[in-house]
Amino acid sequence: MEITVKTAQQLRLTEEEFEAIKIKLGRIPNFNELCAFSGMWSEHCSYKNSIKWLKTLPRDGSRMLVKAGEENAGLMDIGDGLGLVFKIESHNHPSAIEPFQGAATGMGGIHRDIFTMGARPIAALNSLRFGNLEEDKTQHLLSGIVHGIGHYGNCFGVPTVGGEIYFDECYHTNPLVNAMSVGTVAIGETVSAIASGIGNPVMYVGSATGKDGIGGASFASADITADSTHDLPAVQVGDPFQEKKLLEACLEVIQTGAVVGMQDMGAAGIICSTAEMSAKAGTGMRIDLDKVPTRQNNSPDSRKDMKAWELLLSESQERMLLVAQKGREKEVQEVFAKWDLPSSVIGEVTDDGILQFYMKDKLEASLPAIELVLGGGAPQYERVYTAPGYFALIKKFEPAVVPVPADLKLIAEKLIRLPSIASKRWIYTQYDSMVGTVNSSTNAPSDAVVIAIKGTQKGIAITTDCNSRYVFADPYVGAMIAVSEAARNIICAGGHPLGITNCLNFGNPYDPEVYYQFVHAVKGMGDACRKFDTPVTGGNVSFYNQNPDGPVYPTPTIGMVGLLDDIHRKMTLDFKKEGDVIFLLGVTNNDINCSEYLHKICGIEYSPTPYFDLEEEYRLQQKLTELIHKRIVLSAHDISEGGLFVCLCEAGFNGELGFSVITNNSCRKDAFLFGEAQGRAIVTVALEKVQLFESVLTDFPFEKIGVVTGSELVVDGDFWGTIDWWKENYDTAIETYLSKEEAGLALNTI
Amino acid sequence: MKFGIVVFPGSNCDRDMYDALHDDLEQEVSMLWHKDRGLHKFSTEDCIILPGGFSFGDYLRCGAIARFSPMMQSVIEFAKAGGKVFGVCNGFQILCESHLLPGALLRNGNQLFVCKNVFITNGSGSLHKIPVAHGEGRYYADEKTLDKLEANGQVIFYYCDERGEKTNPANPNASMRHIAGICNATRNVFGMMPHPERACSSVLGNTDGRAIIKTLLMAEELVSDHG
């Protein structure tokens, strides 16, 4: 087979990249080698169009135990000899084509990133984006993705404890599935993804390799078109039972002390894990691909046997590459045999920095490891960017074109039932949220989920946040808001923000307007992270979330973790008793910009970001921390989508308590009730502590807006019904959108 | 008395059960590997627990493969000798597949996995809030078996609402007669779908599970009256 630039282009490499490969190798690559570069230099593995900007993010902190991007996930010190390992990752492209397996393997992949470092995953979150819920396609995607996440997570046995779901037209063809996993590990027992020690055996452990997911990394590095379903083999198939056994076996094998390094096989399979582990140590490997366990082994037709390039690129799930100490292979194999998992020695570490792959003693590929990887020979590009044209439409918006509605209660009733605002009950009850017995939020909810760290008094607060419409309106400010909201949620749960992981979902980076969104979102994220002292510990970039109709909203999802020294002192979001006084912390603004109210109810898509000031936000969070630590407030809940009214309802639902509030005359009533100006939170205070509360806030804006009632909602003296009515509408809204088939209701009567 | 928890590949509530028994109820507990055989360290005063999870992936009927594990043969012998055996969720499914308990657990009525708090009652006034988490928890048996279970007092828990009423919306999986848990005729083998081990720690804000474990497994009168 003659290898030409055309072959390279068919493998999604550019002409320039093909030339670069020839220079690096000093010859024309063979097909196997070209496939290796295709996978490793894909956007997904190489970060070639993003790394320049990612390096501008704050990536240092006193608690960070590994540098950002250096290992499979971030690792932070939480005291008591424990490290917290966490990461968020996208699985958007597979989920768009095959929602069930796409989402399931997304969960599998992110958990492997955690336990490959020696940590036990203790909590999972997911951040999902869909199109209009009234569309059949959206219902199909929602049902499949939720089913896939539940199928994998429930069986694997790690609780799905939180996340977020938004519905917006721009995600119709390109849904987003971002999965986050958090684990703990004893410091000193972590494992690095490194292939050191010349002569050490390279071992393959876990499921056998099949033809699934071949080319997945490069598939995820292209736009989704009508022809994308032809790429179905690029979608992997997951087996959570194998992964559960792999988890237990990996944690057990680490205890033997025979493991030198370990890395999961995710995107670009064997070629990626061998290249990255070798490049990190400056070593090479000699690998016999015949020794890789395959599913195709017994085929009588040898044409069906897997080829070298297929073995190199297969993204079959639930597999690990492990480098053991020479002479201790048997100890490793015994552990995997105990868990009924295949393991085999497939090669050894060499000293020349070259990856050599053999099949039937024939050299199939010979590649310098360093030339394949990010930070080595992988290309790094600077892309041009220009301000998007739609910014003109955003600037033109005048709130005056929206008259204040006469019947605000009617607006509130619509708002509480919007899919992005309504309860996600139909979704989260399909996830096991309690396995592991660490989820303290089941019976006492907070703005961020609070997870107990067994064996200590500590708790971990975790949240994922990104309002992508704000980022669309202004990528710099919108990304700052995403970080700020995450921090505000951690603070409202009584935690102290530690760090973030990010999942940057954007359109095609070769589109200068998309790249503008990316660059400015990264800048905003960096500035906000510096303010809150929350370094970026890792994450991933997903470009090409785009179809012929255009890109998705720029969606830089923030996964943030925070620490509570004493979990018993966590703060919750719900009203505690009738008669408690409700205060609004922060500045009341005459602002309806970018709100769910303006977009979904008034039908105005283009408006600027809501009011936001990073300095004020920071001061709010400091004040909240002081109030919570001094035990002056009984509940704290931040104001986000849906504004003050939705915030008050959410605080009332858990204890079925209502509220009576007076609107502020200084601004439009719709802005007061439904506006989404940032830097605000609702707290409740017992009557006897009101004086103390006010004395702490002499230097901070706040207003008393009402009291907690037994069950009724009263706004400016008007009776708005009782909390149970609002709760029923909030809880059941999403179910009523779904067809009976998708909701599972048709079979309810059997 | 002491407890043994059988670990199957795919068990994922084994450690939760250990923590509840050991840390919250301060009991002596050990883990038992499914490939091992023999319960000679245990007497009939002790209790063997089959925990929740997805044993062997549950790709066939839930519990259908686990029942053939070497350790299960010992558990069956142990139960027949009068030893106490307690299965939760997947453990309950394994007990039914092993015919240590009558009936079967089918896909939930709405075909969806469900995880939430539910209320359960023993039918004579008790009320506990306990989490469920399962896709196949709809208890099924023929009418004759159901009549017999109820007549003998072998239904240990029914699903109910927060007032103790057996209403349909309070039945999370459409189980027949709202059955959440049963025991055998000799009252030494117990199975239930709800997870009491998930409601034993004060950090979780729910300790209703402690009373269930104490009453079912550790009460003297159960042992002496029926053992």
Side-chain angles (χ1 to χ4, degrees), chain A residues 63-77:
Chain A
R63 286 180 182 270
M64 281 179 75
L65 297 174
V66 297
K67 278 190 182 160
E70 193 161 88
E71 294 289 349
N72 282 285
L75 173 61
M76 295 190 90
D77 190 345

Side-chain angles (χ1 to χ4, degrees), chain A residues 500-517:
Chain A
I500 74 159
T501 173
N502 58 22
C503 194
L504 309 177
N505 309 270
F506 289 82
N508 191 322
Y510 292 84
D511 176 339
E513 295 196 350
V514 166
Y515 208 67
Y516 179 98
Q517 295 172 333

